[in-house]
Amino acid sequence: MDLAIRGKTALITGAQGGIGLATAQKLEAEGVNLILSDREMASLEEATKELKSDPLLVTADVTDQGEVDALVAKGIERFGVVDIVIHTAGVTGAKGDPLALSDDDYEHAWKIDFFSAVRLARATIPAMRERGWGRFICLTSENTVQPYWEEAVYNSAKAALSAFIKNLSYKEAAHGVLCNTVAPAFVASPMTDGMMEKRAEALDCSFEEAIESFLDEERPGIVAKRRGEADEVAFVIAMLASEHASFINGSNLRVDGGAVMSVQN
């Protein structure tokens, strides 16, 4: 399908791997100009070396408004505009008893998983609004509607992010700027690799057995009994970025294999 966004410019955070990189590949195939950002240039260059469109690579700390502003400015200097923002950067943060976790634990996740989106919105949406077209898409999680006890810092920050994007959607659509979230669950990535490696060590089992037991015990709703693929999430993100998604606004699209076991957005 032609997404009708050839020549648009997309800024993707967390672009060096997983969902961010898969999204970049899909948008590149649609003729979209790419501004790709992550924390480390060497890793970003290595991850994106197969891309053919000569994307702009920029390192930025999304916890710093000045660095976010500079990232956007570099993109505008290269391509003239930023039409689409796809914010995938985030952390799982500290885990454990919600009352035993420190203020710093909560604030670390809050600064990266929530306030980074506020900073990006400040830096990009006003210009989109003036041009009358834009897409602002953030990655949330199944945890926003189905929180897990030991992941309180992540649950709280991602739930706040979901609420913030919904809040933006009420007014920005009048200016042609559509704001949505995508909520994946248990997607194959360095993040879930690390989770399963720790589980395998704790249970004294193989990596594959750790995944199998996790699905059985922690995610029974995923009846396919596998992790999702980054490409499957990227497809949904690309669709939301397209011209064809012109009546989708303020939505949270789950790509979770059925992990959320209730009728919820």
Side-chain angles (χ1 to χ4, degrees):
M1 179 184 292
D2 179 0
L3 298 183
I5 50 175
R6 183 170 298 277
K8 298 287 190 186
T9 297
L11 165 61
I12 303 176
T13 67
Q16 75 179 42
I19 294 168
L21 180 59
T23 302
Q25 292 166 338
K26 288 203 176 298
L27 293 185
E28 180 184 66
E30 295 292 328
V32 173
N33 302 314
L34 297 174
I35 306 159
L36 305 180
S37 179
D38 220 303
R39 291 294 302 273
E40 298 178 358
M41 182 57 74
S43 299
L44 186 57
E45 289 176 338
E46 176 64 23
T48 60
K49 65 182 180 181
E50 300 301 322
L51 295 174
K52 302 176 178 60
S53 60
D54 189 25
L56 174 64
L57 307 183
V58 183
T59 57
D61 179 357
V62 293
T63 68
D64 185 299
Q65 186 71 60
E67 292 203 25
V68 171
D69 291 344
L71 163 63
V72 174
K74 289 175 183 176
I76 292 172
E77 180 181 2
R78 168 76 177 272
F79 296 113
V81 296
V82 175
D83 301 295
I84 299 162
V85 172
I86 299 167
H87 182 37
T88 76
V91 295
T92 54
K95 296 184 180 182
D97 184 332
L99 302 184
L101 295 168
S102 69
D103 286 3
D104 287 344
D105 291 332
Y106 281 94
E107 289 174 5
H108 175 66
W110 190 256
K111 287 192 294 186
I112 297 174
D113 290 340
F114 174 70
F115 265 118
S116 58
V118 178
R119 298 180 189 106
L120 278 164
R122 288 174 180 149
T124 58
I125 286 182
M128 293 179 186
R129 187 190 297 154
E130 289 181 9
R131 293 194 306 275
W133 197 97
R135 301 286 188 267
F136 196 86
I137 303 163
C138 290
L139 211 64
T140 57
S141 170
E142 61 175 316
N143 295 50
T144 62
V145 295
Q146 184 167 273
Y148 298 98
W149 181 83
E150 74 282 5
E151 299 178 21
V153 301
Y154 184 71
N155 300 338
S156 303
K158 287 294 188 179
L161 174 58
S162 184
F164 173 67
I165 299 304
K166 183 67 173 179
N167 187 263
L168 287 181
S169 73
Y170 291 137
K171 296 293 185 180
E172 299 304 334
H175 306 285
V177 183
L178 305 182
C179 304
N180 294 286
T181 58
V182 175
F186 201 44
V187 172
S189 68
M191 182 184 294
T192 60
D193 283 349
M195 289 170 55
M196 292 303 102
E197 287 165 2
K198 289 180 181 178
R199 184 179 180 87
E201 182 178 353
L203 298 178
D204 191 22
C205 66
S206 70
F207 183 81
E208 291 74 20
E209 289 170 334
I211 292 174
E212 183 178 350
S213 67
F214 181 83
L215 286 165
D216 287 341
E217 297 169 16
E218 305 291 341
R219 299 295 186 276
I222 303 179
V223 296
K225 297 302 179 186
R226 66 172 177 86
R227 289 193 293 177
E229 298 294 336
D231 192 61
E232 293 171 312
V233 184
F235 174 83
V236 175
I237 295 172
M239 181 274 292
L240 280 177
S242 78
E243 192 67 66
H244 305 300
S246 56
F247 203 58
I248 303 177
N249 185 49
S251 291
N252 178 50
L253 301 189
R254 297 204 319 261
V255 189
D256 65 2
V260 175
M261 297 178 66
S262 60
V263 183
Q264 297 184 56
N265 185 17

